[in-house]
Amino acid sequence: MCLGIPGEIVEILPDQPDLAKVDVSGVRRNINIGLITDDDPQPGDWILIHVGFALSKIDEAEAKAAMDFLEGIGQAYADEIEALMESRIE
Amino acid sequence: MRYVDEYRDADKARALAASIASLCEPGRQYKFMEVCGGHTHTIYKHGLEDYLPENVTLVHGPGCPVCVIPMGRVDDTIHIAEQPDVIMTSFGDMMRVPGGRGSFFDSKAAGADIRMVYSPLDALKIARQNPDKKVVFMAIGFETTAPSTAMTVLRAKAEGLTNFSIFCNHVTIIPAIKAILDSPDLRLDGFIGPGHVSTVIGCRPYDFIAREYGKPLVVAGFEPLDILRSVHMLLQQLAEGRSEVENQYGRVVPWDGNLKALKVINETMELRPYFEWRGLGFISHSALRVRDAYAAFDAERIFEIPGSRVADPKACQCGEVLKGVLKPWECKVFGTACTPETPIGTCMVSSEGACAAYYNFGRFTRERVREATRG
């Protein structure tokens, strides 16, 4: 729940600009991007996701580093990804 | 040092370790608290403590939101879940936390409709799909998750939903740090500041720690090198007689935080006069509740809440672990009566808790070090 998970924006949903389709470890889910205001998120941007919301934009190297950290912590990350797979944010 | 060797930047880590050692005054003991459970994980996973000089100790802080929720709030949640037509929703982390009357899983097995969700927005979707039910989201977390709850409440209002509410258990990190600084139990030399919480609140709220208490704080990232660099920055400040707030995690944490996130929290929530924390007791202005303007989405006004007070089990020393007074392995029941499979305390239940982190990673490192020393 406290973990920040990196994801890559695939598409901003045209009818709901606060939502983006995001690729997280090969899983595509809708994520709310309404808290990122400094510059508009675009497809190809990397974001750090907390419980369905992007809290910050990051670069690809940081995304890789965040992923290494998550893969290292084992069960907590497995649980978070499993929960994300069940998520169907609209 | 072989545990750090496993990390790909072993050379950088070795250089940092040497530099850290050179900053330490001989004979002086240094004690730094890492506030965040994510940092605790990195420290145990990579055996970073074995890598620091013996006179530098890292102690774990209260930064695991599941761990600090008192048992009474678990019981209150179950009480709401048992009301007619209620669907209770919660993050998976909370499901196994024992209250005075068992866990959410126990209550679910007994017939209550308690569902795990990934995001409060998933709870909102359940509310849309079940207009004849009252859907409650058990909201927990520090400032990292509070903006998500706030955004969800705003969305529920915009959609005109009348069957969605939150049971607000959000806590704030600053009063907890202040309580630890004011506690006579522990003398600290500085703090490794939380990474993700600071993404939201920024670095300014920590100023009082440097200014009023004279302790340095460095906001840190989650990689082993981030932690070592932060320890280095703390020691450098002490060596130069400085106490400042510094940001080692600037690649993610803006100095002013996320202003939109702060704005939505402030729009929907306000500070409670006081809130009970496991281990730390009642702390003033340390948690959030729903503002009057959003009362229609506040489970505490929709349902009668018993306000349960439940004392922690006598054998459990989570309180001392959360305050940094005890290391996980110093708890009487650690690894014997209390394991991740049969947890007694929250620090062992939550995968972000210090006891679970140590149980899963740290003890093996210590055992290996002990064996190596013996050999």
Side-chain angles (χ1 to χ4, degrees):
Chain A
M1 179 249 303
C2 271
L3 302 176
I5 301 183
E8 185 181 8
I9 296 178
V10 177
E11 167 193 14
I12 312 289
L13 298 191
D15 49 338
Q16 285 173 290
D18 261 8
L19 289 186
K21 195 161 283 301
V22 176
D23 190 309
V24 185
S25 291
V27 180
R28 287 187 179 189
R29 287 290 177 273
N30 288 348
I31 297 297
N32 187 297
I33 52 170
L35 290 169
I36 297 189
T37 51
D38 41 0
D39 59 328
D40 285 344
Q42 305 291 334
D45 284 348
W46 286 85
I47 51 177
L48 209 47
I49 305 159
H50 293 264
V51 298
F53 289 79
L55 276 187
S56 42
K57 268 178 37 168
I58 51 176
D59 64 24
E60 198 170 344
E62 182 58 31
K64 168 85 174 58
M67 209 40 126
D68 284 349
F69 164 74
L70 291 168
E71 282 166 0
I73 66 172
Q75 195 56 44
Y77 176 57
D79 291 347
E80 190 80 1
I81 284 291
E82 197 180 318
L84 174 68
M85 302 260 273
E86 299 295 319
S87 173
R88 296 288 184 278
I89 291 171
E90 287 175 358
Chain B
M1 252 178 225
R2 64 195 171 119
Y3 306 110
V4 178
D5 284 352
E6 290 165 12
Y7 184 62
R8 63 181 186 284
D9 289 320
D11 288 344
K12 282 187 196 162
R14 262 193 294 271
L16 260 173
S19 188
I20 285 171
S22 72
L23 282 171
C24 293
E25 263 176 55
R28 180 172 172 184
Q29 294 296 319
Y30 299 89
K31 205 174 255 188
F32 300 126
M33 173 176 275
E34 90 275 3
V35 177
C36 167
H39 288 151
T40 307
H41 249 103
T42 299
I43 289 161
Y44 282 144
K45 169 77 181 167
H46 296 273
L48 294 185
E49 284 185 310
D50 301 322
Y51 196 60
L52 295 171
E54 275 187 3
N55 55 335
V56 177
T57 314
L58 301 179
V59 296
H60 320 304
C64 159
V66 172
C67 304
V68 299
I69 292 290
M71 292 173 87
R73 293 298 276 191
V74 175
D75 285 5
D76 284 352
T77 310
I78 290 173
H79 173 83
I80 299 170
E82 286 169 345
Q83 302 310 302
D85 301 321
V86 166
I87 301 175
M88 178 61 72
T89 57
S90 156
F91 293 136
D93 309 47
M94 275 307 297
M95 296 297 286
R96 290 192 310 128
V97 174
R101 306 172 40 206
S103 67
F104 292 179
F105 269 134
D106 297 330
S107 171
K108 190 177 163 73
D113 192 346
I114 305 186
R115 305 182 190 181
M116 265 190 273
V117 289
Y118 166 68
S119 168
L121 289 174
D122 287 314
L124 196 67
K125 185 174 177 184
I126 293 173
R128 281 187 213 112
Q129 290 169 336
N130 295 275
D132 53 338
K133 300 277 189 185
K134 297 170 200 160
V135 177
V136 184
F137 174 64
M138 199 268 185
I140 66 159
F142 286 92
E143 288 89 338
T144 321
T145 53
S148 309
T149 304
M151 290 284 275
T152 305
V153 167
L154 290 170
R155 179 87 181 266
K157 187 171 188 183
E159 288 183 21
L161 281 179
T162 55
N163 67 328
F164 177 78
S165 62
I166 63 163
F167 182 43
C168 191
N169 293 280
H170 284 297
V171 285
T172 58
I173 197 70
I174 296 295
I177 296 179
K178 191 166 184 313
I180 283 165
L181 281 165
D182 289 335
S183 155
D185 296 345
L186 191 64
R187 188 196 61 83
L188 292 169
D189 297 285
F191 290 88
I192 297 175
H196 294 321
V197 162
S198 306
T199 307
V200 174
I201 68 173
C203 301
R204 293 186 199 282
Y206 304 116
D207 274 348
F208 79 97
I209 299 170
R211 217 179 36 240
E212 291 167 31
Y213 290 87
K215 314 276 185 199
L217 179 143
V218 175
V219 172
F222 293 90
E223 290 203 69
L225 280 181
D226 290 329
I227 307 276
L228 291 177
R229 281 195 188 110
S230 303
V231 171
H232 188 270
M233 288 163 79
L234 287 168
L235 285 166
Q236 194 144 29
Q237 287 201 38
L238 292 174
E240 293 167 8
R242 292 183 290 127
S243 66
E244 294 169 12
V245 177
E246 293 180 317
N247 186 6
Q248 185 275 332
Y249 199 32
R251 58 192 197 269
V252 174
V253 173
W255 194 259
D256 289 320
N258 183 322
L259 297 179
K260 172 83 184 282
L262 291 170
K263 188 171 166 231
V264 295
I265 296 174
N266 189 44
E267 163 70 25
T268 54
M269 300 177 211
E270 62 187 3
L271 287 172
R272 291 175 192 268
Y274 55 86
F275 192 73
E276 185 186 2
W277 292 55
R278 185 184 279 241
L280 300 172
F282 285 91
I283 306 178
S284 320
H285 302 112
S286 65
L288 298 166
R289 66 181 178 199
V290 177
R291 276 192 191 277
D292 287 345
Y294 295 86
F297 304 96
D298 184 3
E300 288 178 76
R301 301 189 219 206
I302 296 169
F303 302 94
E304 213 161 290
I305 311 288
S308 316
R309 297 282 316 277
V310 184
D312 285 343
K314 277 212 171 62
C316 175
Q317 294 184 291
C318 277
E320 279 76 15
V321 172
L322 286 166
K323 282 190 285 192
V325 177
L326 278 190
K327 291 282 193 174
W329 63 86
E330 292 169 335
C331 171
K332 289 192 287 285
V333 290
F334 175 85
T336 51
C338 185
T339 65
E341 288 73 35
T342 54
I344 294 177
T346 44
C347 298
M348 189 63 97
V349 181
S350 170
S351 50
E352 287 152 21
C355 294
Y358 181 70
Y359 189 89
N360 289 326
F361 302 118
R363 64 195 175 118
F364 298 119
T365 308
R366 272 173 73 88
E367 278 159 19
R368 278 184 294 182
V369 167
R370 226 175 286 138
E371 276 165 27
T373 320
R374 220 178 286 142

